[in-house]
Amino acid sequence: MTAPVEINVGLMGLGSVGGGVAAALLDRSETLSNKIGLPIGLKKILVRDPGKTRDPAIPSGLLTTNPEDILDDDDIHVVVEVIGGTDPAASYLKRALSAGKHVVTANKEVMAQSGPELFRLAEQNRVNLLFEASVAGGIPIVGCLMNELLANDVFSIRGIINGTTNYILTRMAHQGAEFQQALKEAQDKGYAESDPTNDVEGIDAVYKLSILASLAFHHRVAPQDIYRQGISTLEANDFRYANELGYAIKSLAIASLENGSIQARVYPALIPLDHMLAKVDGVYNAVEVEGSLCGKVLFHGMGAGREPTTSAVVGDLIEIARRIGVQGPPSPMVQNGRPLSIRSIDELETRYYLRLTVADRPGVLAQISKILGDGGISLASVIQKDSDPAQQTAELVITTHPAREASMQRSLQQVAGLEVVTRISNLLRIEGQLDPS
Ligand code: NAP
Ligand code: HSE
């Protein structure tokens, strides 16, 4: 592609994020052009329903429902994909790269599943592929892992990387909101994925952790390599008991590299109330990267929403527009020859919080602690809560000393099989080994 005298953008998607990107390109094109050094303009916008009322209002003639209007237009230099999902977004991205167009995407699902293939296509066609908005909204974590932190061997990444779940957990913990009500609010604010199951079941965070871990460790960490537990089983009692024990409950994403082996997991965990991650509330995300040279670096900011995500998408767009005509850097997310392996969640050693409903009669705790003891699991505390005299049941909240995940799961199955146990409400990990703030 010869260096253009102006940059034309084809935008695919005009929802929460696309609306912000369109507004930036339509209302602030002069400011953006000044930052780039070349005029930049929005040439076409792909939508599903051209009849929808749009905010911002879009000039007639810009909207299309035909992807070829963007993919086959030689005058469009950069494609911005903010449709979401795998299909048809992934095929549009492949076609755009194959047609020699630079690409900016906010699509964590496609980047997590097909990142290496897309990078190969970008390299073959000598175009750029940037995806800052795919992880943690307005926080510039992807660019830092790909550039500023490259000098480091990264040991670990841990943080809160889904705005919707953090918004829900904050509303449930502090305002006693119901799960469904808090989720509806997150959807209304434009934070949630089109299928919010991806948020609440940890799938979105798994995609994001797959991207971050692959970039950090220079080794492919696929979504299926990551252990996942969502937040949908959490109940008001869990927040109450955790608070009494001195903990907050947060959905954490953690990837660490130890002795040549990577372990990655997404789950709701108890963290000490005075830990910095316990204070990350609402739609805010935070990511801590620990590297060999930089030590611990903390990123904090809004992890979802129109404006923060537009900041990331348009930042990538400016970066690409500045680079056009210059060959891009080598592909990230590729293996660098280190013989790393992926470690199963079974090998995790951590403390646990277990909440269960049991028959309220003598000897019950002895049966449970025998099973846990036989599994090598030592109890740290036991609290009996909310006896239900009518049902003759009681709620037990047990915390343990560090134990192996595989032993815990085996023992839990045996505990669940006891005639005196009526319900296992929740098993959560206590990330007590996180350093205090
Ligand atoms: P959204 O509000 O659901 O918008 C999706 C847009 O894509 C809509 O304009 C829709 O058209 C269009 N679209 C969907 N399927 C299409 C198809 N088959 N052909 C043509 N157009 C299609 O989604 P969003 O929240 O903006 O998210 C977009 C992407 O950004 C996702 O990958 C998401 O994970 C990522 N992201 C979102 C956020 C956030 O806070 N929302 C933050 C970071 C990253 P119509 O308008 O005509 O229906
Ligand atoms: N649904 C995502 C979230 C959007 O809530 O974090 C940002 O990637």
Side-chain angles (χ1 to χ4, degrees):
M1 193 186 273
T2 51
V5 290
E6 61 177 352
I7 310 287
N8 291 321
V9 177
L11 177 61
M12 297 184 139
L14 188 60
S16 293
V17 182
V21 175
L25 286 169
L26 293 171
D27 303 342
R28 298 180 50 237
S29 83
E30 198 180 329
T31 317
L32 297 182
S33 300
N34 288 340
K35 288 184 178 170
I36 293 163
L38 280 179
I40 186 164
L42 186 51
K43 189 151 186 229
K44 242 345 157 215
I45 307 175
L46 178 72
V47 293
R48 205 168 22 191
D49 174 7
K52 232 186 217 179
T53 307
R54 303 281 172 181
D55 173 24
I58 301 296
S60 60
L62 271 188
L63 294 186
T64 180
T65 55
N66 182 0
E68 271 71 42
D69 286 347
I70 291 176
L71 296 169
D72 294 346
D73 183 343
D74 290 340
D75 276 344
I76 289 183
H77 310 100
V78 188
V79 170
V80 174
E81 184 274 311
V82 282
I83 291 175
T86 347
D87 191 30
S91 72
Y92 292 165
L93 291 181
K94 287 175 199 166
R95 286 178 58 192
L97 293 168
S98 303
K101 298 184 191 307
H102 304 274
V103 163
V104 175
T105 180
N107 196 323
K108 66 288 305 245
E109 187 167 352
V110 168
M111 286 310 300
Q113 286 172 345
S114 314
E117 184 187 353
L118 293 175
F119 281 122
R120 269 194 301 279
L121 272 179
E123 208 171 333
Q124 280 162 14
N125 292 283
R126 295 178 160 267
V127 287
N128 294 282
L129 164 65
L130 293 184
F131 49 102
E132 182 62 69
S134 64
V135 183
I139 302 177
I141 178 74
V142 170
C144 280
L145 286 173
M146 289 207 304
N147 299 296
E148 287 78 6
L149 294 174
L150 268 184
N152 290 268
D153 287 334
V154 174
F155 305 134
S156 69
I157 293 175
R158 48 195 184 184
I160 294 169
I161 55 174
N162 183 273
T164 302
T165 47
N166 204 44
Y167 181 86
I168 294 171
L169 294 180
T170 305
R171 292 278 290 116
M172 289 177 81
H174 299 322
Q175 285 98 32
E178 292 295 331
F179 182 91
Q180 287 302 336
Q181 174 203 340
L183 171 59
K184 167 89 173 51
E185 288 170 16
Q187 287 177 292
D188 291 345
K189 288 172 186 283
Y191 303 154
E193 296 301 299
S194 54
D195 178 356
T197 314
N198 278 19
D199 294 297
V200 299
E201 294 305 340
I203 300 165
D204 177 83
V206 161
Y207 293 143
K208 290 168 175 169
L209 188 61
S210 153
I211 294 171
L212 293 183
S214 299
L215 292 174
F217 303 133
H218 302 271
H219 182 92
R220 173 116 169 94
V221 180
Q224 56 272 23
D225 294 328
I226 300 175
Y227 175 83
R228 172 177 65 81
Q229 181 183 333
I231 62 162
S232 58
T233 61
L234 294 175
E235 294 171 343
N237 276 353
D238 293 310
F239 293 93
R240 188 153 57 89
Y241 301 152
N243 191 272
E244 283 175 25
L245 290 161
Y247 295 98
I249 301 179
K250 293 288 180 189
S251 177
L252 297 185
I254 301 174
S256 55
L257 173 60
E258 225 177 283
N259 303 324
S261 165
I262 297 165
Q263 186 174 72
R265 50 198 197 266
V266 167
Y267 50 45
L270 277 73
I271 47 177
L273 282 170
D274 63 355
H275 190 273
M276 64 190 177
L277 288 179
K279 297 166 192 152
V280 175
D281 281 338
V283 74
Y284 277 82
N285 283 188
V287 185
E288 182 196 83
V289 179
E290 185 172 5
S292 52
L293 299 171
C294 64
K296 287 178 184 166
V297 182
L298 179 70
F299 299 80
H300 179 247
M302 280 194 273
R306 172 173 285 192
E307 283 79 18
T309 313
T310 296
S311 161
V313 172
V314 175
D316 277 354
L317 195 49
I318 293 172
E319 173 70 17
I320 282 186
R322 284 175 165 175
R323 280 190 207 167
I324 280 182
V326 181
Q327 200 182 330
S331 303
M333 269 195 195
V334 290
Q335 300 209 207
N336 67 356
R338 280 193 294 173
L340 304 182
S341 63
I342 306 286
R343 205 159 68 248
S344 155
I345 189 75
D346 286 348
E347 293 176 45
L348 177 70
E349 187 160 317
T350 188
R351 296 176 58 211
Y352 293 88
Y353 155 104
L354 172 62
R355 176 162 71 87
L356 64 172
T357 307
V358 298
D360 193 6
R361 58 177 195 251
V364 170
L365 184 58
Q367 291 184 53
I368 294 170
S369 47
K370 169 150 192 348
I371 290 177
L372 294 175
D374 289 349
I377 299 157
S378 151
L379 305 193
S381 70
V382 180
I383 306 172
Q384 181 167 327
K385 290 281 185 186
D386 292 341
S387 289
D388 180 343
Q391 297 292 323
Q392 292 192 309
T393 59
E395 193 158 47
L396 282 185
V397 178
I398 295 173
T399 64
T400 75
H401 290 295
R404 274 283 167 123
E405 176 83 16
S407 307
M408 190 67 209
Q409 294 294 351
R410 258 194 313 274
S411 301
L412 193 63
Q413 272 188 6
Q414 293 172 34
V415 169
L418 288 174
E419 174 260 328
V420 293
V421 172
T422 51
R423 181 180 182 230
I424 305 275
S425 301
N426 252 317
L427 174 73
L428 300 173
R429 286 98 192 154
I430 302 177
E431 289 291 345
Q433 66 271 43
L434 295 175
D435 301 333
S437 52

